[in-house]
Amino acid sequence: MSVIFDAELKKLKSRFMEMGIDTGEQLYQATKAFLDHDVELAKKVLNRDHTLNDEEISLEKRALKLMALQQPLANDFREIISILKASNDLERIGDYTTHIARATVSLNEDHHVVATENEIAKLATIVRQMLEKVMDAYANISEKAAYEVANMDLQIDVIYVSQQKAVLKAMQETPSRIPVFESYLGIIRTLERTGDHIVNLAEWIIYIASGKLVELNPGKADPKLVQKKLKEM
Amino acid sequence: MSVIFDAELKKLKSRFMEMGIDTGEQLYQATKAFLDHDVELAKKVLNRDHTLNDEEISLEKRALKLMALQQPLANDFREIISILKASNDLERIGDYTTHIARATVSLNEDHHVVATENEIAKLATIVRQMLEKVMDAYANISEKAAYEVANMDLQIDVIYVSQQKAVLKAMQETPSRIPVFESYLGIIRTLERTGDHIVNLAEWIIYIASGKLVELNPGKADPKLVQKKLKEM
């Protein structure tokens, strides 16, 4: 029984890692398509839309079956529960990549605004680094790395708030470009939310490592922090 | 041991119901404040911001402790896991109510657009009905009611898509009102996301009742459905 359990748990963990890698790949392709104005690549991202949904459902089923098989020891239990919750965060990130891909397809090529796209490129780079780092932290169950990832989210929140203001101002100055600016706002928001879900992943790593449930989102723990950072700029 | 377990499970379930009621109350107050342009009420909503966060963390802790206490029977196991996942959906809805409240505080009273606010009022009513109905479905573990809730989400998706288009058009026609239109877009989006999370809650009720993990979001199960409905209008 225990041999089966151990083998199944190992499989569950490696499937979760695979889902993390697939999510990172989708995010990379979606943001690349957007920044390169590559509609074909965006369509490919949309065609893989169901993959992460399916992976989440399959992980949930595996996790639930495993817990029905035998009562897991405390450490194993935390791993399984964390995968059950964290797979939901990966799936949400997958949803966001399809938003980005859909915006890429609908954007008219004549209407790009380089300055805003440069800021979006910055955001995308930080978010991708965070996702890579959090999956590494998961692979090594490193609390230290998990905390580092969570702190990176503050950079995202700062760009998010300042770019929202900048784009709204630009909208008022050039109303004919409202649809493209609206797309930019959507993508900026999407990347910010992606950062929040990566912070959730970091929280689950802390839980696996220590059994503690923590709130690591710096903006949530101290709502005034982002405003403070913005004033320092 | 079993007596303690049963008592603790009962407590967990009633705390989850309470969290559902509190979430509904927050949603009611936030949308009411927005539609009545009641900044004071919106500020009250913001002051209770942490309540649902705290309730979620407390539910998670309870659920995890309970499962560590003894291996639950299949039915109980599904109840506990579902609360563990569904509390996250309630907490997200709570996050959205703070977005609505924040938008209410920042909106200038001179700049309201009645037609759009009427559509938002419709959306808010459907979303609140869905949340009430899903908590009833949970209380009675009614699969039938859970499916009915999920189907209501299609009405939301239809208003969401048509209003997004209408507001973008209005933005281009009246650029001076862009900030207020941007707030409306945010609130429309927020209510649509709230609908998605209520559908997740319905999915967990199906899981408790039947052990099946299903995808009930009509727009996700068939991405062309919303477009079809819009063409029929």
Side-chain angles (χ1 to χ4, degrees), chain B residues 16-49:
Chain B
F16 177 72
M17 275 303 291
E18 278 168 33
M19 187 180 176
I21 291 162
D22 291 346
T23 308
E25 185 61 22
Q26 280 278 89
L27 183 63
Y28 174 70
Q29 303 284 351
T31 51
K32 183 175 160 49
F34 177 75
L35 294 166
D36 294 349
H37 316 150
D38 184 342
V39 173
E40 285 316 303
L41 183 57
K43 282 181 183 163
K44 273 185 205 154
V45 172
L46 289 175
N47 283 336
R48 281 194 305 268
D49 185 15

Side-chain angles (χ1 to χ4, degrees), chain B residues 160-175:
Chain B
Y160 170 65
V161 172
S162 65
Q163 280 307 302
Q164 259 197 328
K165 276 188 196 160
V167 174
L168 279 175
K169 197 166 159 267
M171 267 184 168
Q172 273 181 303
E173 286 160 4
T174 335

Side-chain angles (χ1 to χ4, degrees), chain A residues 220, chain B residues 19-20 22-27 30 45-46 48-53 87-102 131 190 194 197:
Chain A
K220 259 196 189 170
Chain B
M19 187 180 176
D22 291 346
T23 308
E25 185 61 22
Q26 280 278 89
L27 183 63
V45 172
L46 289 175
R48 281 194 305 268
D49 185 15
H50 278 279
T51 319
L52 295 173
N53 268 337
S87 60
N88 190 240
D89 290 299
L90 290 178
E91 191 268 336
R92 296 295 293 190
I93 295 173
D95 272 359
Y96 293 142
T97 66
T98 66
H99 294 192
I100 297 172
R102 231 174 280 131
L131 183 57
T190 293
T194 303
H197 283 282

Side-chain angles (χ1 to χ4, degrees), chain A residues 50 53 56-57 60-61 64 67-68 70-71 77 81 84-85 88 91-92 95-96 99 168 171-172 175-176 178-179 182 185 189 193 197 204 207 213 220, chain B residues 50 53 56-57 60-61 64 67-68 70-71 77 81 84-85 88 91-92 95-96 99 168 171-172 175-176 178-179 182 185 189 193 197 204 207 213 220:
Chain A
H50 278 279
N53 268 337
E56 187 204 9
I57 292 178
E60 271 180 357
K61 283 189 183 157
L64 297 178
M67 285 202 283
Q70 86 179 49
Q71 179 145 29
F77 175 78
I81 287 287
L84 195 67
K85 298 272 284 190
N88 191 238
E91 192 268 336
R92 296 294 296 187
D95 272 358
Y96 293 142
H99 294 191
L168 279 175
M171 267 184 168
Q172 274 182 302
S176 63
I178 285 175
E182 187 55 31
L185 282 181
R189 195 182 304 112
R193 295 277 153 81
H197 284 282
W204 287 110
Y207 175 67
L213 292 164
K220 259 196 189 170
Chain B
H50 278 279
N53 268 337
E56 187 203 10
I57 292 178
E60 270 180 358
K61 282 187 183 158
L64 297 177
M67 285 203 282
Q70 87 181 49
Q71 180 145 30
F77 174 78
I81 287 287
L84 195 67
K85 297 272 283 190
N88 190 240
E91 191 268 336
R92 296 295 293 190
D95 272 359
Y96 293 142
H99 294 192
L168 279 175
M171 267 184 168
Q172 273 181 303
S176 63
I178 285 175
E182 186 55 32
L185 282 180
R189 195 182 303 112
R193 295 277 152 80
H197 283 282
W204 287 110
Y207 175 66
L213 292 165
K220 256 193 189 172

